Amino acid sequence: MRVEDKVNQADEANAAGAGALFLGIGVCAGVAVGRAFCRRHEDHKIVERDIAVEDVPREIARFESAMIATRSQLREIQKSSDPAVAGIFDAHLMILDDRPFIDRVIFGVENRMKNVEYVLSTVAHEFVQSLSKVQDDYLRERVADVNDVARRILRNLGGVRGAAEKPLAEPAILVADDLPPSEIVLIDKTKVLGIAMDLGSPTCHVAILAGKMGIPAVVGLHNFSAAVASGDEILLDGNKGHAILRPSAELLGQYDRIAASRRSVEISLRELKDQPSDTRDGCRIFLAANIEMPQDVDQALSSGADGVGLFRTEYFFMSRQDLPSEDEQFQAYRDVVSRLTPAPTIIRTLDLGGDKFLPNLDGALNESNPFMGWRAIRFCLAQPDLFKTQLRAILRASAFGNAKIMYPMISNVDEIVRANAILDQAKKELFERGYPFNPHIEVGAMIEVPSAAMIADLIAPHVSFFSLGTNDLIQYTLAIDRGNERVAYLYEPTHPAILRLIKHTADAGHRFGIWTGLCGGVGGDPLMTPLLVGLGLDELSVSPAVLPVVKDAIRSITYSEARDIADAALYSQSAMDVQEMSRELARKVAPEILELVV
Ligand code: PEP
Ligand code: MG
């Protein structure tokens, strides 16, 4: 939806007294109505770390940059806030300028030789303690402000970690400013009706997880969480990308009617489960599911997937306190592989870094630009023992079914060559230990860095398949931080540059006789399906929750229609033009899809 349409919609809803409307970005379709359950920052825990003398200037520089970022965010929120509440942020900005507060943090880093996150949270805690004791009401009210500001600085430092999730007593809509992926994996999914988050963008990892769980989710809601208290009634619309606080009875009635028609479309799509994902003129597209945890295989199977096209193994690591051993990993991978076989399971090796960390392996935590840093294959190649343990576990699982290996974030040929050399060592070790495994296990490369797409022809001889990770490919190509809600409007999957990189990769793959799939979030948008098929993709791997509607989209088109739209899109002037073309085609061939899309 265009920004101006959203603004009109907001004005209309507010004028109609329907409830207080907050605009965000819908990342998982569907509507949820329920009570709010607010996750506050008190639920986060800070890691305490010793630092060396030479690290002190760097810690202080990180603190200063985080303060600058915090100040500019607060100013922006203040500008976009209702004048009645904008004053709150004056108090927040004053704390940022409070010299004793700043000096105590700097003094603490220099003298206690601890990481700045830890020192900051200790200083904030001390401030809060002394403010809580004073008699003056005004000063006592500043406690919340200090907490809010400290939380925001911590977030800008990138050092806030999720603690184990508090259980939800009743089904509710989870409301938070931010939720780290490590926290989402621990929530009780049966109790979460929806997720509303202040930060985030269409492909942040929270969006991915919400999509997988199939629960309505809206991110990028700016200051929504500050306006909501636990127990408030909320209507969350993942299709339109907004949240309505205390919705009117009339609005709830309207939504009931829309939900009923959407449910009937969903029921008819379920009947496609055992149908092939063929275009109307018989072109087969392999339609697989993305999974994050071994138990997700149930959902993948019941969605009618042809296999698993992406098993994001790092979530399995993140869901526990210690590192899983080779045997534990083997059991988890074997369970998935043996349940799916003969259908394939593509197991992606660890993609840690970026916004995914482990409590006991936090080497990348202090990077100022973690998505461009020590992440994924770079991290694994630097930790050969950890990497080889995972490879041995996958290899052992390959004796029980159709397992394939996929390396994330490949950016050059050397990384593939080195990863394959470690794989060869892992095979040798298993052979010596007498374990059975598939010596010809297929290996693929994720194409998610523009350099890899450009040299796909050089990478192809080293692998058996490509899978495009568009979540990252878009981030790196368009220079858009995938987790930053302020630039989310620039995150355009239909940008001609992205479409050309996809086509370039698929063409190179075909020239070398290997297939190319796509496992980024774009694959789950049924409006994009004709375009992706027309660009030459052989496989799409999507969240199981959206798999039926993507199958419907494949079955609704002919391959020549797909080619036509792709050819036109490659030379379009703008991403918006391509979206319009895709909507137009859907209106013609599969109007039911428009009922379900975000
Ligand atoms: C991607 O980048 O598109 C992808 C599938 O990987 P992840 O979202 O886990 O980074
Ligand atoms: Mg990726």
Side-chain angles (χ1 to χ4, degrees), residues 307-535:
V308 162
L310 169 66
F311 179 1
R312 290 181 163 101
T313 55
E314 59 279 1
Y315 287 95
F316 173 58
F317 282 60
M318 285 157 64
S319 66
R320 37 187 297 150
Q321 291 302 317
D322 53 348
L323 278 179
S325 65
E326 178 183 320
D327 276 348
E328 285 169 317
Q329 290 187 59
F330 157 64
Q331 278 156 23
Y333 305 150
R334 182 199 53 196
D335 288 351
V336 175
V337 169
S338 59
R339 287 194 60 198
L340 278 159
T341 204
T345 304
I346 299 181
I347 304 179
R348 177 174 78 180
T349 56
L350 279 176
D351 182 6
L352 290 170
D355 62 353
K356 290 180 284 192
F357 302 106
L358 296 184
N360 41 5
L361 252 187
D362 57 0
L365 206 60
N366 286 324
E367 296 190 336
S368 56
N369 210 341
F371 272 108
M372 308 259 255
W374 206 41
R375 184 185 163 194
I377 197 70
R378 302 169 182 186
F379 175 84
C380 282
L381 290 173
Q383 311 262 344
D385 288 341
L386 180 89
F387 189 37
K388 215 191 316 165
T389 304
Q390 182 176 38
L391 293 173
R392 280 196 306 265
I394 302 174
L395 282 166
R396 284 171 58 191
S398 72
F400 294 82
N402 189 359
K404 300 178 198 288
I405 294 173
M406 180 158 78
Y407 304 131
M409 216 188 162
I410 292 296
S411 63
N412 58 40
V413 174
D414 185 54
E415 284 164 345
I416 286 276
V417 171
R418 286 170 59 205
N420 279 342
I422 296 177
L423 178 64
D424 284 342
Q425 285 168 25
K427 287 182 185 173
K428 191 163 166 278
E429 286 168 14
L430 288 181
F431 181 74
E432 283 163 8
R433 281 158 53 187
Y435 282 113
F437 63 90
N438 173 6
H440 308 295
I441 190 166
E442 286 184 15
V443 169
M446 280 197 79
I447 304 294
E448 50 185 347
V449 178
S451 61
M454 293 311 297
I455 58 160
D457 55 329
L458 303 180
I459 295 174
H462 301 271
V463 293
S464 302
F465 62 91
F466 290 145
S467 185
L468 284 143
T470 43
N471 300 339
D472 280 310
L473 186 64
I474 298 169
Q475 138 162 289
Y476 297 130
T477 307
L478 303 183
I480 306 301
D481 175 348
R482 65 191 267 186
N484 184 338
E485 77 282 4
R486 282 183 294 174
V487 289
Y489 72 100
L490 288 171
Y491 196 95
E492 295 174 320
T494 49
H495 191 300
I498 303 300
L499 305 180
R500 289 179 186 201
L501 287 173
I502 294 175
K503 177 150 171 53
H504 185 81
T505 305
D507 286 351
H510 291 153
R511 277 204 309 283
F512 283 82
I514 66 173
W515 59 265
T516 300
L518 181 148
C519 58
V522 167
D525 178 354
L527 295 180
M528 288 286 289
T529 308
L531 194 53
L532 298 176
V533 170
L535 289 171

Side-chain angles (χ1 to χ4, degrees), residues 69 99 109 115 123 129 172 178 287 341 367 447 450 491 544 564:
R99 208 57 243 180
V109 171
N115 55 321
V123 170
Q129 292 294 98
D178 194 11
L287 186 56
T341 204
E367 296 190 336
I447 304 294
Y491 196 95
D564 286 348

